[in-house]
Amino acid sequence: VESEPAGAPRPPSDAEIYDMVLAREKARIVKDYAAADRLRAEMATAGLSVVYRDETGREGREAKKCGALTWSTVDGRTGPPALSTAEIESRLRAWLHARDVDQNPSRATDLLADCKARGIGTSASIWFTAQASGPLPSLVREASVG
């Protein structure tokens, strides 16, 4: 068994990657770009690369605003893990409810950052990930169920 060279950084676990990406997304949402840049540098040092893509799968400036992110590590792992449509819609519905019904900006920011850290991008009327896309969920359905 080969051991890692002395002084080589230990690759972050998937949970640590999620925490780093989540922290960076929260900083970006609240426009704390200095913190977001610092976190991006820390991620790069840890061997983590993050790419934002728009709903067509292209990288670019607009994709950084609302795009779906994917990550990869120097040890060959990629993510985030795929979510089911039901999981995606449930997370988006919670975010929309906090934003539009509860009008709780702090909770809405946390929920949106969670969606982004899990690779969910949004545009005016759709959600998208690296694997799938669909219409943004309606809050009307949730209200009629309760």
Side-chain angles (χ1 to χ4, degrees):
V1 176
E2 289 184 35
S3 62
E4 291 184 18
R10 176 186 59 82
S13 69
D14 288 356
E16 290 168 324
I17 291 169
Y18 170 77
D19 289 344
M20 287 190 281
V21 172
L22 179 64
R24 181 162 189 259
E25 291 307 312
K26 282 183 182 178
R28 292 179 69 222
I29 290 167
V30 299
K31 298 181 173 82
D32 184 350
Y33 298 119
D37 288 347
R38 179 183 48 76
L39 289 161
R40 182 184 61 217
E42 288 175 14
M43 290 162 50
T45 299
L48 176 62
S49 173
V50 174
V51 175
Y52 296 87
R53 299 185 188 283
D54 66 15
E55 62 269 15
T56 67
R58 289 184 294 213
E59 292 181 51
R61 191 172 189 92
E62 286 301 308
K64 286 191 175 187
K65 290 181 185 175
C66 61
L69 68 81
T70 57
W71 54 258
S72 60
T73 62
V74 294
D75 62 1
R77 289 175 293 140
T78 61
L83 298 172
S84 71
T85 298
E87 289 174 300
I88 292 167
E89 289 179 349
S90 175
R91 291 178 186 286
L92 288 170
R93 200 171 283 111
W95 163 60
L96 291 168
H97 193 275
R99 186 190 73 180
D100 299 340
V101 177
D102 295 341
Q103 296 184 355
N104 183 336
S106 176
R107 176 117 172 95
T109 295
D110 288 346
L111 291 167
L112 179 59
D114 177 74
C115 287
K116 289 179 170 290
R118 293 180 188 279
I120 305 168
T122 59
S123 68
S125 61
I126 68 166
W127 61 263
F128 55 95
T129 66
Q131 299 84 18
S133 65
L136 282 177
S138 168
L139 291 177
V140 174
R141 191 176 109 210
E142 179 184 273
S144 64
V145 171

